Amino acid sequence: MTTSTRAALLVCPASGKGRAARVAGTVAARLREVVDRLDLHVADSAGGTAALARRAVDDGVDVLVVLGGDGGAHLGVQACAGTPTALAVVPAGTGNDLAGALGTRSVADVAAALRDGARRPLDLGRVDGGPWFATVLCAGFDSAVNERANAMRWPAGPRRYDLAILRELAALRPRPLVVETEDRVVELDALLVAVGNTTSYGGGIPVCPGASTADGLFDLTVVAAAPRRTLLRMLPTLRTGRHVGHPAVRTFRARSVRLSGPSWVAYADGERVGGVPLGATCVPGALTAVSGAC
């Protein structure tokens, strides 16, 4: 160990259909090889996860390691944002988008980063009057997909989002949307809007492929009204990020954004945050993250 490090491991046992609980012992043993002290916390609910995360940060740990999915990571972000405590994520959920953005795809990645002291400042988004988010805030078609995917029991992993996309296409309807930023107002009939701090959501879909966590800006992707057959042809390009070249897609960058118009539900980091209208701001360097090779 190159430095004295006190860490807390926060286990979200239900993540990945119990995978987090099954691997918790192995993960704890691996982390103890690279830190001086490891406190183990096991949450029994989302509320318990949030409380334990805040308790660990208030207790002054150097690193909070979340073993779970994007839901657990999102709660870890709430606790660590604006504090000296760094956040690490060992992925054990369905989407694992924040872990992917941090380059920590396994406990080995996290252990190596802790051993090497690999930490970096990370921009965060913050919903006005609401939570922080680290990855993508979305509304419209993609938030409807999120609602459906969260309610599905099968299949596991990214295929769940793919199936939810196909099912939501049947009910797809464009709605009037107003996107206001510090330097423009865009009004259009839209199918979805994504506000990206990182590139991806839904288990690795690069909806905002140009997003960076170090530029103090959101990347916005807005899909305007288009025939269903056009969207069906566009779907395969979502996995590669090539959708941004489609004529129905508009992209731009902004420090802050306000979405208004439709009666859509918004999701951030895969978690329901409420209805539109809402605003959000990018806060540079709001989080210290344990980072692997992205």
Side-chain angles (χ1 to χ4, degrees):
M1 292 174 290
T2 57
T3 60
S4 177
T5 302
R6 180 185 169 204
L9 175 61
L10 178 58
V11 181
C12 307
S15 295
K17 293 186 176 180
R19 179 173 181 270
R22 292 192 297 272
V23 302
T26 301
V27 169
R30 184 70 183 88
L31 294 177
R32 286 193 174 101
E33 297 174 1
V34 293
V35 299
D36 296 279
R37 173 178 166 182
L38 183 73
D39 302 324
L40 181 62
H41 304 284
V42 181
D44 57 3
S45 64
T49 300
L52 288 172
R54 291 193 186 95
R55 186 182 307 165
V57 171
D58 289 346
D59 200 30
V61 297
D62 300 302
V63 181
L64 175 67
V65 183
V66 175
L67 172 60
D70 283 320
H74 177 74
L75 295 173
V77 167
Q78 310 312 305
C80 294
T83 77
T85 299
L87 177 69
V89 181
V90 177
T94 299
N96 303 314
D97 288 303
L98 181 54
L102 297 178
T104 55
R105 294 172 176 83
S106 67
V107 65
D109 291 336
V110 172
L114 288 171
R115 182 193 63 225
D116 298 337
R119 302 182 189 181
R120 62 182 171 98
L122 197 81
D123 298 344
L124 293 177
R126 189 158 204 183
V127 177
D128 295 348
W132 298 92
F133 63 96
T135 57
V136 178
L137 180 148
C138 62
F141 174 67
D142 39 8
S143 59
V145 168
N146 237 319
E147 293 233 285
R148 182 177 288 275
N150 288 344
M152 292 167 62
R153 300 292 182 182
W154 180 92
R159 286 187 59 208
R160 177 180 300 177
Y161 293 95
D162 294 338
L163 185 57
I165 285 171
L166 293 174
R167 290 181 176 176
E168 281 300 321
L169 275 171
L172 187 61
R173 297 290 186 276
R175 298 182 185 180
L177 174 69
V178 180
V179 181
E180 299 176 69
T181 74
E182 63 272 11
D183 59 7
R184 74 181 75 194
V185 177
V186 178
E187 299 184 48
L188 74 169
D189 287 339
L191 296 170
L192 70 85
V193 55
V195 180
N197 183 54
T198 62
T199 62
S200 302
Y201 65 2
I205 298 172
V207 66
C208 300
S212 166
T213 58
D215 63 358
L217 298 171
F218 292 131
D219 273 39
L220 277 73
T221 298
V222 182
V223 179
R228 192 173 282 106
R229 62 181 179 277
T230 299
L231 295 173
L232 285 169
R233 289 196 296 269
M234 189 193 300
L235 280 178
T237 68
L238 279 170
R239 285 287 177 189
T240 64
R242 290 186 292 111
H243 62 284
V244 296
H246 193 280
V249 177
R250 299 187 63 172
T251 62
F252 44 96
R253 291 188 167 100
R255 290 181 178 84
S256 61
V257 60
R258 181 164 181 82
L259 308 176
S260 58
S263 55
W264 284 339
V265 172
Y267 272 69
D269 290 345
E271 299 298 306
R272 204 176 200 269
V273 295
V276 172
L278 61 75
T281 302
C282 185
V283 183
L287 179 73
T288 300
V290 175
S291 177
C294 296

